[in-house]
Each structure stands twice: as structure tokens, then as C-alpha cells.
Amino acid sequence: MELKQFLNHVNQGFPVEGGSPIHQYMSQLAQEAMRITAQLNNAYYEPEEIRALFSELTGKPVDASFRMFPPFYTDCGKNITVGKNVFINSGCRFQDQGGIYIDDGALIGHNVVLATLNHALDPQERATTIPEPIFIGKNVWVGANATIVPGVKIGDGAVVAAGAVVTKDVPPRAIVGGVPAKVLKFIDKTQEQFPARERVFLAGK
């Protein structure tokens, strides 16, 4: 199997049956990702060196404006796409087999989890995984320790509060928080009026 064939399969949302040839290929990608992330996470690198390693991990070049603070973890890597002026803070975990798309200007906080795979609910088929992509829009801010689950779209300019678990699509310029995350307010009406306690709640980029 080739990478193009694998990506075509998962990007159409087709299940990956446990033990199948495509599942075995996915395991090979995981081994490669572990090799690259082990290199990335266990030494100091200049920003351009980090970009080179991230490009190797994703299999595509990233813009010179991309920034990341290691450590960074993924068990695939080849289905991550990032735009310009994207920043990923330390400790993030991307499960990207289903596709992770991060648009220009997005900020991803410490220890954020982006998960694009679900397991089959039938116990007899539990090893089968179902991929669904995550889309993060322009100038989105995802706060520290947030989790975004498969199939979620975050609209342009939105804010995901620290510790939120996002299970549904987020409208543009909305601020969401909680478990599961709910819309708290919209930026247009409140961007100059955050009380101190809310600034603490939203903090952590």
C-alpha cells in the first residue's frame, strides 16, 4: 500500500478494519511517526530545524511562519495540514489519521488533544476504527488541555476555553467552554468586557 491510497481511504471516512492490510500500513506510519517525534522531542532545535522535522513528519512543507514548541506527539503525522502563522504549544497530541486541518493564524495551547478516530461500538469489531476529520478555522485560539473529538469544525475566530471537551461544531467567533463544551458568548458583543475571573478561565494558549 502507498500513502496516497491510505489517505484516500481515510479521507473518505471509510472504516479501517483491525488486522487488515490498511490497518497494518497505518501501524507502519505510526512507527515512522514515533521515530521522528522521538528525535524532535529529545534535543534542542532552532525554529527552522523544528519546521524541517515537522515537514518530514507530515510529508509536506510548512510555511516559514509556522512555530511549535516541543514536545509534540502523534501516531501518524501524514494527515496533518497547517496554514501560515500557526503556533502549536508544548505537549500537544494529534491523532490525525482522519485528517487535521489547521488554518492560518490558529493558536493551539499546551497539552491540546485532537482525536480523529472512533472505535466501532460493537465489541466484536472494537479493533475497527472510523476516521473523521477536525477542521480548525482561521485565527482560532484553542486553550490549554482542551480536547476536540472526531468530526468537529471550529469556526473562524472562535475561542475554545482551557479544559473544554468539544463534541460539536463551534460557530465563528464563538467562545465555548465546559464538558461537553457549550457556547458561552460571542466575541463581537464581549471582546472588551471580560471580567478577571473569565480571563483566568480562558487563559492558556
Side-chain angles (χ1 to χ4, degrees), residues 135-140 153-159 169-174:
F135 294 91
I136 296 177
K138 289 182 172 63
N139 301 312
V140 167
K153 298 179 181 179
I154 310 294
D156 293 349
V159 176
D169 290 354
V170 175
R173 301 181 70 82

Side-chain angles (χ1 to χ4, degrees), residues 3 6-7 10-11 29 33 36-37 40 53-62 66 68 72-83 86 88 92-103 108 114-116 133-136:
L3 179 61
F6 170 78
L7 292 177
V10 293
N11 287 339
L29 291 179
I36 297 170
T37 54
L40 176 66
L53 284 167
F54 194 80
S55 295
E56 181 184 358
L57 179 65
T58 62
K60 56 181 78 78
V62 293
F66 172 79
M68 183 174 70
F72 175 81
Y73 305 94
T74 178
D75 55 359
C76 182
K78 293 298 187 287
N79 213 4
I80 300 172
T81 301
V82 297
V86 167
I88 299 173
C92 290
R93 288 166 168 80
F94 287 12
Q95 182 195 54
D96 63 285
Q97 289 89 339
I100 292 174
Y101 305 89
I102 303 176
D103 213 333
I108 311 299
L114 304 182
T116 67
I134 290 172
F135 294 91
I136 296 177

Side-chain angles (χ1 to χ4, degrees), residues 142-166:
V142 181
N145 296 300
T147 297
I148 301 175
V149 305
V152 167
K153 298 179 181 179
I154 310 294
D156 293 349
V159 176
V160 176
V165 177
V166 186

